[in-house]
């Protein structure tokens, strides 16, 4: 058994764990990041890619903004398409100049791993059998295996940044943990295509066949999604069928259509809203997907993770610098307030833009009326915009 110690043991090297590690490093606080997967897997996973203004600002503040500034695609607005028409919403004008930036989550992760290496702080990929112990005591432990050796890491605090399927949330006793959940009757089939984006804004579209989303990753790569059934078999979707369905759903009177091209990657994303309360138990603090999941329609997942670790690092900094623990004690309550706001928005975007199989003619008319109101009322567009570009981190 190899024994070591650190101030903050971080489980998971997704955006939450890596951002937290860098924020703590900048404050001179030690951490060890333990990641189950191998480096290549973590970097190459294709995920969402919309950064709120606050997340972009945070990336710059921590020294991870160079490539983001060069390659990130800033969007001041978006299109909503329904009943065969596209409507532009000028988000930045409605939300005090704030905007979103499209930059793949895997690129964020790649930049953060590089920063970690530059900082020279420990980041272990391929850590097996990670388990956490004594989180309700003064000195919690993380045990794991690395390169065939057993390790035990003593920590002041453990940050559970290990995503939805991790080991940290289950360490909170079931008598304490409350789960709030909604599973949606649809999923997204997502593709990356070798095709220049044919529009410089995202297009969220509702058609009688269901939702479709046009996004991008670079001047040469388009990212597209279409609503499908939750248990959909990817094998049933040939490239031709995917393009035919996308082109049908994006049909609009102004003649706009996405460019087609070779499909480089395809996958299915399930849709779920999930909140675990509280976000803290003893010396264990949950952040990101370990604590909450949102359906991807509002593009909030990564941004919620960024806000969590920003608050957590500030609370830990106050603890180590000033010896005060009031920010640590209110971490969960403040986080849940922000999480629920994003949950409400993501749920609303999802319901407004998808067709469940069970809808009836009344539901369809009501949904059309909602979208019609949305693109005609400055108040409704402002509400969409301020939520989409992101509310303050705390
Ligand atoms: N031990 C060590 N690492 C683990 C374990 C474990 N037992 N279980 C999971 N992990 C790792 C995963 O391999 C993953 O790399 O924790 C990491 C969690 O990363 P994410 O799932 O990316 O979660 P998070 O960092 O909270 O980022 C949230 O990611 O899933 C998207 O849409 C989501 O954008 C959001 C963002
Ligand atoms: C993406 O580009 O992957 C993306 C964009 C907007 C969303 C979800 C995903 O709401």
């Amino acid at each position: 058994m190899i024994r070591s110690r650190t101030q903050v043991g971080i489980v998971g090297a997704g955006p939450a764990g890596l951002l937290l590690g860098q924020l703590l490093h900048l404050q001179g606080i030690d951490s060890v990041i333990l990641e189950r997967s191998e480096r290549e897997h973590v970097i190459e996973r294709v995920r969402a890619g919309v950064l709120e203004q606050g997340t972009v600002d945070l990336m710059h503040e921590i020294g991870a903004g160079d490539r983001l500034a060069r390659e990130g695609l800033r969007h001041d607005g978006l299109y909503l398409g329904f009943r065969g028409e596209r409507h532009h919403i000028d988000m930045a004008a409605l939300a005090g100049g704030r905007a979103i930036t499209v930059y793949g989550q895997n690129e964020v992760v790649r930049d953060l791993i590089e920063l970690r290496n530059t900082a020279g702080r420990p980041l272990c990929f391929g850590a097996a059998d990670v388990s956490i112990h004594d989180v309700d005591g003064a000195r919690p432990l993380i045990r794991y295996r690395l390169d065939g050796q057993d390790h035990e890491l003593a920590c002041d605090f453990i940050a559970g940044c290990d995503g939805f399927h991790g080991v940290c949330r289950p360490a909170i006793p079931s008598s304490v943990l409350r789960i709030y959940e909604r599973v949606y009757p649809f999923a997204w089939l997502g593709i990356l295509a070798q095709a220049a984006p044919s529009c410089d804004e995202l297009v969220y579209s509702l058609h009688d066949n269901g939702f479709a989303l046009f996004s991008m990753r670079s001047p040469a790569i388009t990212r597209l999604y279409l609503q499908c059934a939750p248990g959909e078999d990817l094998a049933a979707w040939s490239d031709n069928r995917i393009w035919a369905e996308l082109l049908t759903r994006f049909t609009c009177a102004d003649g706009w259509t996405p460019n087609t091209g070779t499909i480089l990657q395809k996958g299915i994303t399930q849709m779920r809203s999930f909140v675990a309360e509280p976000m803290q138990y003893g010396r264990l603090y949950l952040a990101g997907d370990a604590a909450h999941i949102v359906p991807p329609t509002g593009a909030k997942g990564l941004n919620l993770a960024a806000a969590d670790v920003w608050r957590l690092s500030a609370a830990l900094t106050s603890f180590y610098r000033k010896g005060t623990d009031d920010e640590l004690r209110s971490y969960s309550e403040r986080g849940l307030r922000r999480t629920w706001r994003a949950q409400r928005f993501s749920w609303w975007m999802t319901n407004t833009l998808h067709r469940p199989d069970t809808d009836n003619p009344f539901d369809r008319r009501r949904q059309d009326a909602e979208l019609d109101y949305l693109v005609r009322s400055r108040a409704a567009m402002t509400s969409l915009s301020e939520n989409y570009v992101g509310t303050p981190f705390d």
Side-chain angles (χ1 to χ4, degrees), residues 76-80 82 87-96 345 348-349 370-389:
D76 285 335
L78 58 74
Y79 282 94
L80 284 179
F82 60 99
H87 304 262
H88 189 255
I89 297 191
D90 193 352
M91 287 184 307
L94 293 162
F345 175 68
W348 170 81
M349 277 280 273
E370 173 134 19
L371 284 164
D372 198 51
Y373 170 61
L374 185 55
V375 298
R376 281 170 217 290
S377 156
R378 189 178 170 87
M381 284 188 281
T382 304
S383 170
L384 167 75
S385 301
E386 69 184 17
N387 280 286
Y388 194 81
V389 301

Side-chain angles (χ1 to χ4, degrees), residues 42-65:
V42 172
I43 289 180
E44 278 155 26
R45 275 182 304 200
V46 178
R47 294 277 193 70
V50 171
L51 310 192
E52 291 176 358
Q53 186 73 58
T55 306
V56 171
D57 294 345
L58 182 64
M59 289 285 285
H60 283 286
E61 273 164 36
I62 66 172

Side-chain angles (χ1 to χ4, degrees), residues 227-246:
Q227 175 187 343
C228 63
E232 194 80 40
D233 179 10
L234 201 52
W237 287 84
S238 66
D239 292 5
N240 284 344
R241 182 179 172 206
I242 292 173
W243 284 121
E245 191 57 31
L246 284 166

